[in-house]
Structures are given as structure tokens and as C-alpha cells.
Amino acid sequence: MSNSQAIGMNKLLLIVTLILMCFGIAVIYSASAPVASSRNLPAEYYLKAHLFKVLGAVVILGVFYKIDYALWKVLARVIFGFGAILTLAAIVSGGEVKGASRWIWGIQPSEIMKFGFITWVCSKLSNAGDEIKSIKCTIVQPAVPLAISAILLVCQPNFSMLIMFCVLLLVMLMIAGANYKYVGLSVLVSMPLGLIALLLKPHSRSRILAHFSADGTMTASQWQGRHALEALGNGGFFGTGIGMGEQKLGYLPEAHKDVVYSVIGEEFGFVGTFAVLLAFAILFSQGYNIARSSTTRFGRYMAVALTTSLFLNFVIHVCVCVGLIPTTGQPLPFLSFGGTNLMFSAAFIGILLNISRSTSGKSIREPYMSSTLSFDTSRFMNFRTRRSSI
């Protein structure tokens, strides 16, 4: 058992999360002030809105920390169904923003659906026991929530979120010890289909083609990516100083949302971006350590999936800012302006903290799973493959 479980919750994870939230307040004020002024709003307009969201996120973190994670196994299908219905409502009547229908009533319901997807798949995998290698557990059962999610996310469209769902499922299957042949075959079949879907949608096709274009001209789809790179380059080693960045002054659309990492790079330089990378590295390592120490398979799978979800948000955002992938609207957890992602990121941390407690998950009952069928976790984060102690 890890030290964090022996003494209670993982305090290092909580401290790093709160530090990121506090740093995010300063960054968002600096990045959003020019946007507010350009819209004839007070410079503190977005700062005040974000402060309320941060306070709400802290409350949510505390509430989810207090809830025994066993409850999420019971409510898995309900959460997913609720998120799917809201996502469908966003498509039908939510209105279109920048070519996509992702919002309704001020929230992004695909985040709810993602949480439900994680809990549903983790619940099914933890209940599989010795049947984990069967085609039913590896393909059929996970295919149901993935198919529903894929249809809804393609209709929005929200391909970056769909890619996250697919990667999350792949990681959960690998951790659970699913049949490699079935998983590999599914990946080989789904990748060409996914690429075709990306190219068929004008919204995503234009961004992909613009990203790989080498004709020297700057299209609308390339504007944000090019200026995000310029912002990082302008920062140098120590940065221009907080509030002194230039690219946010009309050159970087949504500077306080989709490319906030570039604003950090310009104003805090390499030192600032490295500090952010280090903070997230600590956060992710603590999340995976919690998974390693969990006394139930469900807790282990949940901790891996929730940490990986935050990791994917982080990777996609940073890769967009450094020009490795086409532009897409993925926020940087705890640092970007936006309520839905911040609330769910805080909720994920709360659940991870709850899993880290040795007193949580006692009510979970799981079928026996032979160690010979388990994934060899000694080669992947040194997980222990043992029968649940409850």
C-alpha cells in the first residue's frame, strides 16, 4: 500500500492541482483582458467569471472526494445516458459555433458523456473476471458505448473528443488484460474509417489540409497555429513578463481558451512552460500511482482512465500550440478559461483523491480473476495483478 493510502488522500496531487488553478487565474486575466476590451467590456470581466468557476471547481473537487467511488460503478449507465441525451440535444437545438454544435445551456455535454463512458467501460471490465479475454468483453460490450459516442461526436462534429474516447478505450482494455488480437484487429479496422470520416467533414478536412499545406500562404485555418508558434518563440527563456505579451492583442483568437499554453510561453518563457510541464508530470504520476495502489480492479481502471483523460487534454492542447497537430478546441486543464472542462477536471481529481483513500471502495464486489489472465502490469506502471481484497 502506498504512503498516500496509508495516511489518507494523496496530498501531493491536491497541492499540484490547487497550484495550477491559482496560476491559471493569473494567466487567464492576462490573456483575456485584451479580448474583454475589444468587446467593450471591463478588463476584469473574464477574470471575475473565471474566479466563480474556480470556486465552483474547488467545491466540486471536495464533493467528489467525499463520495465513495463505488457509487460511480452503480451509476455508470445513468451518467452515460444523461450525457448522450444532452449531447444529442446540443446537436439538434444547441446552435452552431465555429462549424460545430457542442454547447447547450452553457455546458459541453460531451464531457458528461465522457465521464459516463469511462465509468461504464471500467465497470464492465472489472466485472469480466476470467472472461476478460473473450470477444464479448473485449469487443462487444465496449463497442456499445463507443458506437453511441462516435455517432454523436461525428454529428457535432468533435473529432478531437472522439479520438480521446478511442484512446481511452484502448488504454482501459490494455490495462484490463483484454485479448490483444481482438484489440489489434479493431484498431486496424477503425483507423481507416476514422480517417475517412475526418476527410468527409469540411470542418475537419480544411484544418487538416491547412496544417500540411506548404504553399507559403496563411489561410484562416492556419492563423491560430502560426501565431501560437510565434508567441512561444517571442517568449525566449524568461518571457516578456506577465501582461506584456503581444500575440494575444488580436493575433491569437481565443487566447484565453484554446492556446493559453502559447500565452504562458510568451509571457513566462521557457521557464514558465517548463514549470507547467513539470507540474502536470507530477499530477499524472500521482494519478497513475493511485491506480497502482488501488485495492479494486474498478478503482485501478478508473484511476488510469481519469488520469489518461487529463493527460490527453494536456497533450492535444500543447501539440496544437507547438504546431504538431491541426488546430482543435481542446482546453488545457485548470489553466484555460471554460467552465465545463474545469468542473470535470476538478471532479476527476476529486475521484482520484477518493480512490487514494484506503477506506474507499469497500462495498465493491468483483469476480475472481486468474493472475495468468491479467495484464502483465509489472511492465506497465508496475501494477499489481492480484485478486481484489474485498
Side-chain angles (χ1 to χ4, degrees), residues 3 7 17 75 118 138 141 155 201 250 255 268 270 272 279 293-294 302 306 328 346:
N3 291 335
I7 63 176
T17 300
L75 298 178
I118 289 172
T138 302
Q141 289 182 341
C155 289
K201 286 283 186 177
F268 295 89
F270 171 79
S293 302
S294 176
M302 279 285 288
L306 296 178
T328 184

Side-chain angles (χ1 to χ4, degrees), residues 180-318:
Y180 295 166
K181 292 190 295 184
Y182 295 147
V183 173
L185 181 62
S186 300
V187 171
L188 290 176
V189 172
S190 60
M191 285 186 66
L193 295 177
L195 182 59
I196 292 171
L198 279 170
L199 295 177
L200 286 177
K201 286 283 186 177
H203 175 77
S204 55
R205 182 175 64 246
S206 62
R207 293 188 176 188
I208 294 173
L209 295 178
H211 180 74
F212 291 103
S213 175
D215 58 7
T217 60
M218 186 184 297
T219 65
S221 298
Q222 294 172 314
W223 180 273
Q224 188 180 56
R226 295 280 182 88
H227 286 284
L229 273 176
E230 286 186 24
L232 289 170
N234 291 344
F237 194 79
F238 293 107
T240 60
I242 186 169
M244 303 302 292
E246 297 180 357
Q247 292 300 315
K248 65 188 181 184
L249 303 176
Y251 299 104
L252 270 177
E254 308 291 350
H256 57 308
K257 296 180 181 179
D258 299 341
V259 285
V260 73
Y261 185 76
S262 292
V263 176
I264 295 171
E266 184 172 26
E267 299 190 352
F268 295 89
F270 171 79
V271 173
T273 55
F274 180 78
V276 168
L277 294 176
L278 180 61
F280 275 107
I282 295 172
L283 187 150
F284 300 140
S285 68
Q286 293 308 301
Y288 290 127
N289 282 338
I290 290 170
R292 182 178 62 187
S293 302
S294 176
T295 56
T296 66
R297 290 196 299 272
F298 179 71
R300 187 181 311 149
Y301 302 161
M302 279 285 288
V304 169
L306 296 178
T307 305
T308 303
S309 177
L310 294 171
F311 175 75
L312 291 174
N313 270 132
F314 167 80
V315 167
I316 292 174
H317 182 99
V318 172

